[in-house]
Amino acid sequence: MNKEEEEKKEDQSNSSSLVQKIQSLGQTNVVQAPDSNIHVLTIIGQVEGHMQLPPQNKTTKYEHLLPQLIAIEQNPKIEGVVILLNTVGGDVEAGLALSEMIASLSKPTVSIVLGGGHSIGVPIAVSTDYSFIVPTATMTIHPVRLTGLVIGVPQTFEYLDKMQDRVIQFVINHSNIKEEKFKDLMFAKGNLTRDIGTNVVGTEAVEYGLIDEVGGVNEAMKKMNEFIANNKSSENQVIQ
Amino acid sequence: MILYTPLSESDIFPSSENAYKNRECINYNGKMIIADKTDDGSYQMVQLISTDPQDYLDQRYIPGTFLS
């Protein structure tokens, strides 16, 4: 008796979930799209660091992205990653962590700066194998700032200067911009109202050597497929 | 009341913390999802966190849907 009752219950729950599916989708089977060989990582809003920002802020959390980057590296079906950037910047160390992770991926990476890739968005944008910027996007390059409790001693400045140096070193190592030029842009006066730094727009970023090319999705996907084809041909050669 | 200030409205009148108290990051079908917990205990989807572009075309992960 008990078994029969259980079976009845199961049948009922099965049919009710079926009814739910039919109600919500009008069909019983969701058509599965084939797995994509190119994955997308979006870096939006603020790059959130150790401090949790108030929930009304749009943030990119490194604890969400770092495991995904590992998963991408491990999954043999994934052949490349496209990084989409529209960020106002944020935590220096969280941004550098993301940049280093992207730079050390063995799979081809291409970034597209859309809208804005400001401050710590700059190292993230240049961390990929090839970077694109859409003509209307901008990147603000400015000195690192500190919020919260600041102790008024010379060491504070040294700490800040070292942190800034890490950002500068990363950018010049992963892009074609010269250190002098990047520092000039970073400490320029008169470009930003009442602030130090430069707002670099689309084509200018390419002229300075910061970004590789002006382009959007089409160009990025072409480049990505080129990288994937190159990877495959070099793999074949090794086997032979 | 008339305000004349360069600050944004949210800086002057911060939204209450309670408005986001129910927001949770959950695992649903192996996908990382940010969802609001509703009064009856079910979850309403807010955002999908995935690197697979096909996931965003999946009907099951449209923001606003109730997760069962």
Side-chain angles (χ1 to χ4, degrees):
Chain A
M1 279 296 275
N2 271 346
K3 264 193 181 173
E4 269 178 28
E5 273 175 17
E6 270 174 30
E7 271 171 24
K8 256 190 184 176
K9 266 187 188 172
E10 239 171 62
D11 272 358
Q12 274 179 345
S13 70
N14 274 348
S15 62
S16 73
S17 75
L18 201 68
V19 168
Q20 245 180 12
K21 264 187 184 169
I22 293 168
Q23 278 175 341
S24 61
L25 297 164
Q27 59 186 24
T28 51
N29 283 327
V30 180
V31 182
Q32 286 288 322
D35 284 343
S36 176
N37 65 333
I38 297 169
H39 273 210
V40 181
L41 203 65
T42 48
I43 292 166
I44 49 157
Q46 292 200 50
V47 177
E48 193 180 285
H50 304 304
M51 283 285 286
Q52 185 146 19
L53 289 161
Q56 63 265 37
N57 286 286
K58 255 197 182 175
T59 61
T60 298
K61 298 181 203 303
Y62 64 89
E63 69 263 37
H64 290 164
L65 297 192
L66 299 185
Q68 290 190 322
L69 284 165
I70 295 283
I72 288 168
E73 179 70 27
Q74 284 192 319
N75 190 341
K77 280 185 187 155
I78 303 168
E79 294 177 285
V81 196
V82 177
I83 317 280
L84 300 178
L85 281 144
N86 190 4
T87 177
V88 290
D91 189 274
V92 173
E93 299 205 324
L96 281 179
L98 280 173
S99 310
E100 292 282 10
M101 282 290 284
I102 294 164
S104 57
L105 278 181
S106 69
K107 295 182 179 175
T109 48
V110 170
S111 64
I112 315 173
V113 181
L114 306 152
H118 306 290
S119 319
I120 203 68
V122 175
I124 299 174
V126 303
S127 67
T128 51
D129 296 328
Y130 207 84
S131 50
F132 286 94
I133 186 166
V134 294
T136 53
T138 66
M139 301 177 94
T140 311
I141 302 162
H142 66 89
V144 171
R145 288 161 193 163
L146 203 61
T147 55
L149 183 71
V150 179
I151 309 165
V153 290
Q155 284 86 338
T156 303
F157 175 75
E158 264 170 44
Y159 172 70
L160 209 61
D161 199 44
K162 262 190 188 164
M163 192 177 264
Q164 197 159 282
D165 242 20
R166 286 152 73 193
V167 175
I168 295 170
Q169 286 307 319
F170 187 91
V171 172
I172 57 170
N173 283 340
H174 290 84
S175 70
N176 298 320
I177 199 165
K178 294 275 173 294
E179 184 169 359
E180 278 306 304
K181 186 73 217 172
F182 190 67
K183 281 187 172 168
D184 280 352
L185 293 171
M186 189 178 249
F187 302 112
K189 276 188 279 182
N191 293 323
L192 303 174
T193 10
R194 302 198 305 165
D195 203 347
I196 292 170
T198 314
N199 202 8
V200 180
V201 184
T203 44
E204 285 174 334
V206 177
E207 276 167 32
Y208 295 139
L210 193 62
I211 297 289
D212 293 313
E213 207 178 312
V214 174
V217 180
N218 183 20
E219 289 85 356
M221 291 320 264
K222 265 187 198 156
K223 195 77 199 172
M224 178 56 83
N225 288 326
E226 200 179 290
F227 277 137
I228 292 171
N230 276 350
N231 256 9
K232 276 185 180 159
S233 67
S234 65
E235 268 173 30
N236 285 342
Q237 276 171 354
V238 171
I239 292 165
Q240 281 165 358
Chain B
M1 180 172 42
I2 296 166
L3 296 173
Y4 180 36
T5 167
L7 299 173
S8 69
E9 196 194 335
S10 60
D11 284 338
I12 302 163
F13 304 111
S15 58
S16 70
E17 298 242 325
N18 290 339
Y20 300 95
K21 219 174 66 185
N22 295 324
R23 191 151 293 180
E24 285 177 35
C25 186
I26 58 165
N27 184 337
Y28 179 71
N29 286 344
K31 310 267 186 267
M32 198 192 283
I33 279 171
I34 295 181
D36 280 335
K37 199 169 190 175
T38 51
D39 293 332
D40 60 350
S42 64
Y43 287 96
Q44 187 176 21
M45 208 180 134
V46 176
Q47 190 192 350
L48 169 71
I49 297 172
S50 170
T51 54
D52 190 344
Q54 300 298 341
D55 283 348
Y56 292 88
L57 301 178
D58 196 322
Q59 301 267 344
R60 291 174 296 173
Y61 308 120
I62 294 172
T65 50
F66 286 93
L67 307 174
S68 49

